[in-house]
Amino acid sequence: MQQRTILITGCSSGIGYAAAHTLRERGWKVFASCRQTRDCERLAAEGFDAPQLDYTDASSIATAVDHVLEQTGGTLDALYNNGAHATPGAVEDLPTDALREIFESNFFGWHELTRKIIPVMRAQGHGRIIQCSSVLGLVTMPWRGAYNSTKFALEGLTDTLRIELRDTPIHVTLIEPGPITSNIRANSIPHFERWIDWKSSARKVQYESALLDRLYTARGPDRFELPPQAVVDRLIHALEADRPRPRYYVTTPTRISGILKRILPTRALDWVLSR
């Protein structure tokens, strides 16, 4: 049987890194892409085909896709969109250019890459598109307006795509993690420092008492935090099951949030989330 192939983005660490290793162990040919060249080189040293792919750079996306298709003879069984970053800060302190930047990397780039892969999957007669969303694509939390908005947009776009592709053999799936061990908090610090003038904010005291400590203080796992493998286990089902689910909730907070959003009035849900 021909080896199955998958392109995964954001493989430098966390979920993407765990997914690349696990799927390779399961016999998949993994294209483990990263945004930074140094991370691609590190993964190449681990035996991966690791093309450089930066969601904010259209030429990078095109080059990565061309490379993958050249290596596979023009086919690709699965795409796992995973790479993303956060820009913490209150919405009122978030410059519009900061929103544009995060949408390029967390949303528009995903769309551009997916559009390049869909014709390949149509031509070959099958395919799996899996999007790594978030509990913050179901409900919102304070200080995360930029990230919340990209994930809400991703949920809407992916739900539409799934309905539109019902008449094709291409399966579209959302995976919705909650607290997962990763570097996303540390990786968000440069974006916070670039965009958020918290010292001039009307919420300066709240930044000092809440957000700064969470960003800059090393701490153990959050309550209910799970390792990346918990997401990978759902990814395996989405890739290999004959009938993959449209959605996979991963952590306890995600399951609870999904239930509360359905049963609580908006004001009651706002109160819960603000706690």
Side-chain angles (χ1 to χ4, degrees):
M1 187 172 67
Q2 187 175 8
Q3 187 179 31
R4 292 172 295 185
T5 57
I6 183 170
L7 170 60
I8 306 174
T9 65
C11 290
S12 61
S13 63
I15 294 168
Y17 186 79
H21 278 273
T22 299
L23 290 175
R24 184 172 67 176
E25 291 167 4
R26 295 180 69 84
W28 286 75
K29 168 63 176 177
V30 177
F31 294 92
S33 71
C34 304
R35 183 174 63 89
Q36 299 283 356
T37 301
R38 64 176 180 269
D39 293 319
C40 294
E41 293 172 348
R42 172 169 53 86
L43 284 168
E46 296 178 19
F48 287 101
D49 190 322
Q52 190 265 342
L53 193 158
D54 182 346
Y55 278 130
T56 68
D57 183 347
S59 64
S60 167
I61 295 171
T63 299
V65 170
D66 288 346
H67 169 78
V68 169
L69 297 180
E70 181 181 353
Q71 297 301 308
T72 65
T75 66
L76 186 68
D77 295 303
L79 168 66
Y80 182 36
N81 278 309
N82 167 70
H85 75 264
T87 303
V91 171
E92 64 191 279
D93 299 324
L94 188 69
T96 304
D97 281 345
L99 269 183
R100 291 191 179 100
E101 180 193 61
I102 196 171
F103 264 86
E104 285 291 343
S105 62
N106 289 15
F107 183 72
F108 295 133
W110 292 39
H111 177 56
E112 182 159 359
L113 175 58
T114 302
R115 286 190 65 237
K116 288 185 179 297
I117 297 301
I118 288 174
V120 175
M121 293 181 172
R122 280 185 177 274
Q124 69 194 15
H126 68 275
R128 305 281 170 109
I129 298 169
I130 297 98
Q131 312 271 57
C132 192
S133 183
S134 171
V135 62
L136 298 182
L138 301 175
V139 296
T140 62
M141 292 186 68
W143 308 106
R144 297 165 177 84
Y147 190 80
N148 289 336
S149 59
T150 63
K151 292 304 183 181
F152 266 69
L154 178 67
E155 293 270 331
L157 192 76
T158 304
D159 282 345
T160 306
L161 180 65
R162 187 182 62 252
I163 293 170
E164 291 174 348
L165 291 180
R166 286 190 66 189
D167 62 346
T168 77
I170 303 171
H171 296 281
V172 180
T173 294
L174 283 158
I175 298 181
E176 284 143 344
I180 297 292
T181 304
S182 74
N183 294 332
I184 191 168
R185 189 179 305 160
N187 291 342
S188 72
I189 291 174
H191 301 283
F192 172 74
E193 293 178 344
R194 176 185 178 189
W195 292 112
I196 305 300
D197 182 13
W198 66 269
K199 293 180 181 178
S200 301
S201 171
R203 298 186 176 276
K204 178 181 177 182
V205 173
Q206 292 171 296
Y207 279 101
E208 292 174 328
S209 63
L211 185 59
L212 295 182
D213 177 67
R214 182 167 178 80
L215 273 181
Y216 290 99
T217 302
R219 63 183 72 237
D222 288 336
R223 190 181 183 189
F224 301 118
E225 183 174 305
L226 295 178
Q229 191 62 40
V231 181
V232 178
D233 290 343
R234 306 314 194 275
L235 174 62
I236 290 169
H237 192 276
L239 289 170
E240 299 181 359
D242 291 336
R243 188 179 171 85
R245 302 171 195 164
R247 271 183 168 75
Y248 293 84
Y249 291 174
V250 179
T251 60
T252 297
T254 309
R255 297 187 189 94
I256 293 173
S257 296
I259 294 170
L260 293 180
K261 186 172 184 178
R262 290 195 299 270
I263 66 174
L264 289 183
T266 299
R267 290 186 185 277
L269 183 60
D270 286 351
W271 183 87
V272 171
L273 296 173
S274 69
R275 310 303 292 177

